[in-house]
Amino acid sequence: MENEQVIASIQQSLVAQKKNLSSLWQTLQNELEAINTRDGDKLESTAKEKLIILEEISKIDKKLSDFSLNKFKKILPNIDDDIKNINEQLTNCKQQNDINTHAAHQTQVAVKKVTEILLGSIKSITYDKKGLSQSGNLLGKSIKA
């Protein structure tokens, strides 16, 4: 009877892990959309959602690691396929997370460049008629209208 409960627990955990990884995938897609549209509120909510899902994935992973899954292979013939499927989903989520990280970084760099252009970067050095360096925002100086 105890084995049946363990088997049921393993099966439920595998199903839950697949669902969590599917939810994580969707959340990562939403996160990328928020990054691309520069939607700060959506980005914040997806980040929170992602953390909740990752905590749940971690709990289930710990629970599954407590079982010796090899001894249940005869009783659960699909366990290898389930684990392979879960690992593939996890790999896809990791790759998507890397893509999102890169997209966020590129967006940050682009925003920084635009900000520097609009506000006048300290690094933007120009030279006057005498060859002396000047830095900062020169917009509006020496204009007589």
Side-chain angles (χ1 to χ4, degrees):
M1 186 68 173
E2 186 177 309
N3 258 355
E4 290 174 11
Q5 289 175 339
V6 171
I7 291 169
S9 180
I10 290 171
Q11 289 173 322
Q12 289 171 353
S13 296
L14 291 172
V15 168
Q17 199 69 308
K18 288 179 192 178
K19 286 181 182 177
N20 284 331
L21 287 166
S22 291
S23 294
L24 180 61
W25 175 259
Q26 185 58 51
T27 301
L28 289 167
Q29 296 301 309
N30 294 340
E31 181 182 59
L32 182 60
E33 181 182 329
I35 291 167
N36 289 336
T37 60
R38 294 185 179 102
D39 185 343
D41 292 334
K42 186 174 181 181
L43 189 57
E44 185 178 349
S45 68
T46 56
K48 289 177 183 177
E49 184 179 345
K50 186 167 70 167
L51 286 174
I52 292 168
I53 296 168
L54 287 171
E55 287 175 9
E56 189 61 30
I57 288 171
S58 181
K59 285 179 192 175
I60 293 172
D61 190 53
K62 171 136 179 42
K63 183 178 178 181
L64 285 170
S65 69
D66 290 342
F67 296 115
S68 178
L69 296 179
N70 285 331
K71 71 180 184 180
F72 294 101
K73 284 184 179 182
K74 290 180 183 176
I75 302 167
L76 297 167
N78 294 334
I79 197 167
D80 284 334
D81 291 338
D82 289 339
I83 292 171
K84 181 180 176 188
N85 184 308
I86 287 169
N87 285 330
E88 286 174 1
Q89 283 182 293
L90 182 61
T91 298
N92 290 339
C93 287
K94 286 179 180 179
Q95 290 172 346
Q96 186 62 49
N97 192 58
D98 289 344
I99 290 168
N100 291 6
T101 301
H102 182 71
H105 177 72
Q106 294 295 26
T107 299
Q108 182 182 11
V109 168
V111 168
K112 184 178 179 185
K113 285 182 181 180
V114 169
T115 302
E116 287 176 355
I117 290 168
L118 293 175
L119 298 179
S121 173
I122 294 172
K123 295 178 185 176
S124 64
I125 297 176
T126 59
Y127 298 91
D128 63 10
K129 293 178 187 176
K130 297 177 184 176
L132 300 173
S133 65
Q134 296 178 335
S135 63
N137 189 351
L138 299 177
L139 185 62
K141 291 185 178 181
S142 302
I143 296 177
K144 298 174 185 170

